[in-house]
Amino acid sequence: MIRFLCATAVALALSGPVVSQDLNALARVAVDQSSIAETRRGVRLDLALSQGVPFRGFTLTDPMRVVLDFREINWAGVDPTQFGDAEEIGDIRVGRFREGWSRMVIELTEPLDIHALSMNGTGQGAETTLTLDLRETDLETFAAAAGAPEGAGWDLPEVADVPVAVERQTGDRDVVVVLDAGHGGIDPGAVAGDMVEADLMLMFVRELREALVRAGGFEVVLTRETDTFVPLKTRVSIARSVRADLFMSFHADSLETGTAHGAAIFTLSDDASDRATELLAERHDRADLLAGVDLADQGDEIARVLMDLARLETQPRADALGDTVAIALQSGGVRLFKRPRQGAGFSVLKAPDIPSILVELGYLSSKSDRENLASKAWRATTIDAIVSGIQTWAVQDAAQARLLRQ
């Protein structure tokens, strides 16, 4: 069994010298020549590409999945369900993982090990096929072989360089706002026709950044500028590294059960407000798992105690931010969810030192919400309301900070 294979020099079979740009060129997928099929002992994937590219593969647990990384494939217009199916294969996700890297994640319904992983063609302009041979195994053997390969740390969040504690803003400097466009890259989020949550949220936060900058008094940072996957904890680490005063994550999910429409504001809570919120939490956090390397919580009891102490200050500030933004949206005529203020355990809300909220702008499962999100006028109205809410909160938060200092 092969736990990990990496082919960074596949172009050596060419007759001429290889330059680095050959390895960075995007390969295209020939969907009609690609296939997934059951074999006598497992499952085989044949991925037809327009050229050879460096690649690697490994398995992970919880959930069981196979991760294939490429440097790099253009997944535009590729629907993996067209490759075929197999009982042992569940969800398959493809997309850009980070700058220079593409990823395919194959969720498994049964334990399968990587028996062989190879590419039979090399070089730019040379058609090639990546072949993945998965073989049946037992859970114990699968778990023993699973794990990110050494050197996979490039997709882990970097430690934020914050030499001293961030002082709470008191109105005498620009307020640092971090805007997080949910999903991205290999994780598109909710999809309804040609509307993709990841794209809609990136467009929205760009427009919101512009409005905040025009309003003055704000320094605005985005957790992603392009259609790239950013792990949940990396988003929080980005906010910490720029010494954020507040963090806002934006989403427009889809709920298959019941009817949901209108905007809602979430702040951190140990318990989900309702079943719909539980489903949203599963969607958010599971997407991070399926996209690749697990980012398991680490720490000791002392660290947890210190974080709890930090939240004694930041959580009331986050709740106040959520309340103020919800009121501003309502005052601005933006339609709200039946319960506009809720609590949830979303990972992006768990920074103990940064007031954080998550805004569901609407639901792609709702026709009216889809129409709103596609409307430039609706987005402008909603953005004006959010800017007003942030401005109000910043003034009140600064006044409270000055009182505490006295």
Side-chain angles (χ1 to χ4, degrees), residues 139-305:
L139 284 171
E140 184 177 353
T141 303
F142 180 88
E150 186 176 353
W154 49 264
D155 54 5
L156 295 173
E158 295 181 0
V159 176
D161 181 15
V162 185
V164 295
V166 178
E167 289 191 11
R168 181 172 172 177
Q169 64 94 15
T170 56
D172 55 355
R173 61 171 174 80
D174 286 351
V175 176
V176 182
V177 180
V178 172
L179 302 177
D180 173 48
H183 307 281
I186 195 173
D187 173 26
V191 178
D194 59 354
M195 300 185 73
V196 179
E197 181 184 3
D199 298 338
L200 290 169
M201 294 305 97
L202 183 58
M203 175 175 62
F204 188 88
V205 298
R206 285 172 172 170
E207 293 172 351
L208 177 55
R209 172 177 60 183
E210 183 179 343
L212 284 167
V213 171
R214 285 200 313 268
F218 297 101
E219 178 185 339
V220 187
V221 177
L222 305 189
T223 58
R224 65 180 181 93
E225 297 271 2
T226 60
D227 184 26
T228 305
F229 175 80
V230 181
L232 297 176
K233 293 187 180 179
T234 303
R235 298 169 191 252
V236 175
S237 187
I238 289 170
R240 186 171 290 115
S241 69
V242 298
R243 306 167 72 81
D245 293 300
L246 64 101
F247 175 93
M248 302 179 71
S249 185
F250 291 87
H251 291 260
D253 279 289
S254 177
L255 290 176
E256 298 177 359
T257 58
T259 58
H261 46 74
I265 313 294
F266 294 85
T267 49
L268 184 65
S269 171
D270 292 335
D271 300 315
S273 301
D274 52 27
R275 178 55 183 162
T277 302
E278 291 179 2
L279 292 173
L280 290 176
E282 290 172 4
R283 177 189 291 274
H284 289 304
D285 291 353
R286 186 172 177 80
D288 209 40
L289 282 176
L290 287 180
V293 180
D294 297 340
L295 301 176
D297 286 324
Q298 297 185 21
D300 53 24
E301 289 299 324
I302 294 177
R304 280 190 284 273
V305 169

Side-chain angles (χ1 to χ4, degrees), residues 340-359:
R341 278 290 287 114
Q342 299 192 48
F346 300 136
S347 291
V348 290
L349 298 179
K350 293 183 178 178
D353 50 344
I354 306 169
S356 305
I357 66 174
L358 185 145
V359 183

Side-chain angles (χ1 to χ4, degrees), residues 43-67:
V43 175
R44 173 176 169 139
L45 163 70
D46 287 318
L47 187 66
L49 302 173
S50 60
Q51 65 185 57
V53 292
F55 65 94
R56 68 181 187 180
F58 53 96
T59 55
L60 292 172
T61 58
D62 301 321
M64 295 184 296
R65 60 209 188 274
V66 177
V67 179

